[in-house]
Amino acid sequence: MENLGKQISERRKKLGLSQEDLAEISGVSPRTINSVELGKANPSINVLSKMVKPLGFVVTLSERVTHE
């Protein structure tokens, strides 16, 4: 999660957005954005999708199969 948070932070800054700006655009609280960027939160897919859409990122899921 820490790497993801770093990518979000870098992209947000590159676009000239503050955490508060991203919060307003995405509908996700500034506190959540801060926690994700610091790698301290594990957001749901829904929240993550809302956060990254304004940054031009897309959330995709892949199925991981394991054998016991």
Side-chain angles (χ1 to χ4, degrees), residues 8 11-12 15 17 21-28 33 47-58:
I8 291 170
R11 179 68 176 164
R12 175 182 58 74
L15 294 173
L17 298 172
D21 294 333
L22 181 55
E24 187 174 323
I25 295 166
S26 67
V28 176
I33 291 169
V47 170
L48 183 61
S49 183
K50 287 179 183 179
M51 277 181 63
V52 301
K53 187 175 180 180
L55 302 176
F57 292 149
V58 177

Side-chain angles (χ1 to χ4, degrees), residues 25-46:
I25 295 166
S26 67
V28 176
S29 76
R31 185 176 188 169
T32 298
I33 291 169
N34 182 263
S35 294
V36 171
E37 288 187 359
L38 293 175
K40 295 181 178 182
N42 188 12
S44 69
I45 295 298
N46 186 44

Side-chain angles (χ1 to χ4, degrees), residues 1-9 35-41:
M1 232 3 146
E2 188 174 318
N3 186 40
L4 174 64
K6 183 177 178 183
Q7 290 178 31
I8 291 170
S9 176
S35 294
V36 171
E37 288 187 359
L38 293 175
K40 295 181 178 182

